Amino acid sequence: MRSAAVRTAWSSMRTRRATWGRAMALRDLDRYLRRPDLAYDQTAAMGALVFIDLNLQGDQAARFLGPGALWQQWLHDAPHMQGTTDPTPSSLSLIRRLCAFVDECAESG
């Protein structure tokens, strides 16, 4: 079992990483959602951004997700996304599972 000091340090580190991750996701989404011809990790980045917003009580994803915003445009214009539903819920679920796995590994380590 972890001491209170270790749990506090782990929580602080997670918050710092999430803040950094949000900045990276914002930068990448702003750049690559303007390029529907590129199929990188836009869906994973959006799932991560939504996850971070939910955990840090932020609202950064909203600028991409609104009607007519970059996310909807990219889903419509990207040839590899044609005929698919919005992958945000499944991407968010994946990010949640990955974070839970990391937390579990950290707890047992």
Side-chain angles (χ1 to χ4, degrees):
M1 176 145 250
R2 291 175 172 239
S3 71
V6 172
R7 283 192 304 271
T8 301
W10 176 247
S11 178
S12 175
M13 184 173 65
R14 281 181 44 181
T15 301
R16 285 193 309 272
R17 281 189 321 214
T19 301
W20 176 82
R22 179 168 43 197
M24 298 300 292
L26 287 167
R27 183 200 69 195
D28 288 351
L29 287 168
D30 195 45
R31 179 180 300 151
Y32 294 112
L33 290 180
R34 298 174 192 282
R35 297 288 311 272
D37 58 313
L38 300 177
Y40 293 140
D41 57 357
Q42 291 95 327
T43 57
M46 182 58 73
L49 181 58
V50 170
F51 178 82
I52 292 167
D53 274 357
L54 290 171
N55 285 280
L56 295 181
Q57 290 78 43
D59 198 24
Q60 299 295 314
R63 73 179 195 177
F64 296 109
L65 294 173
L70 282 175
W71 183 246
Q72 295 303 318
Q73 291 174 14
W74 182 78
L75 289 174
H76 180 266
D77 296 340
H80 60 284
M81 297 303 293
Q82 298 299 309
T84 62
T85 60
D86 186 346
T88 304
S90 61
S91 296
L92 174 60
S93 176
L94 171 65
I95 298 297
R96 282 183 170 144
R97 290 191 313 269
L98 290 170
C99 289
F101 175 74
V102 169
D103 285 346
E104 185 177 315
C105 289
E107 285 291 323
S108 65

